[in-house]
Amino acid sequence: MSNEIEIELNDDLDLQEPKKYNVFLLNDDFSTMDFVIDVLVRVFRKSVDEASVIMLNIHNNGKELCGTYTHEIASTKVAQVKTMAREKGFPLKAVMEEE
């Protein structure tokens, strides 16, 4: 009596990179520049200098890319921005778009 078990492995695994999503902040006329910089530093882990450049691009162009992430991380960042904005009484919005 043999205890050998034969397992057939499929060597043709088709692995794909997860889809990536760009997260943008949108300009509004009420959120202060300091608040937007704070969001960029705390949520998107930008330096103050990077955050200042991004904030000015948001102000001048209407929106600016803040980062590219997997779906779960991107949606979490959007939710964090929404929560911070509500807590401070600002209408700042973040959106995510598939890359």
Side-chain angles (χ1 to χ4, degrees):
M1 188 189 251
S2 176
N3 288 339
E4 293 180 25
I5 299 174
E6 192 172 312
I7 300 174
E8 186 176 321
L9 298 177
N10 183 359
D11 292 334
D12 299 331
L13 292 177
D14 185 25
L15 299 178
Q16 297 177 356
E17 289 289 322
K19 291 181 181 177
K20 298 286 187 165
Y21 294 82
N22 294 323
V23 178
F24 295 91
L25 284 182
L26 305 180
N27 188 40
D28 63 72
D29 293 332
F30 302 102
S31 300
T32 65
M33 292 180 175
D34 289 335
F35 175 70
V36 174
I37 290 173
D38 188 43
V39 167
L40 289 163
V41 169
R42 292 175 61 197
V43 174
F44 296 98
R45 306 288 188 233
K46 303 294 183 187
S47 69
V48 174
D49 290 337
E50 287 177 305
S52 297
V53 169
I54 293 170
M55 178 273 302
L56 288 173
N57 288 337
I58 294 167
H59 180 71
N60 293 326
N61 303 326
K63 75 177 187 178
E64 181 65 25
L65 177 66
C66 300
T68 303
Y69 310 96
T70 61
H71 186 274
E72 293 79 13
I73 294 172
S75 62
T76 299
K77 301 259 183 214
V78 169
Q80 288 173 326
V81 170
K82 183 177 182 180
T83 299
M84 283 182 70
R86 280 189 177 173
E87 287 174 356
K88 299 292 183 180
F90 292 116
L92 184 65
K93 287 189 179 182
V95 295
M96 57 189 264
E97 299 174 1
E98 189 173 330
E99 190 175 49

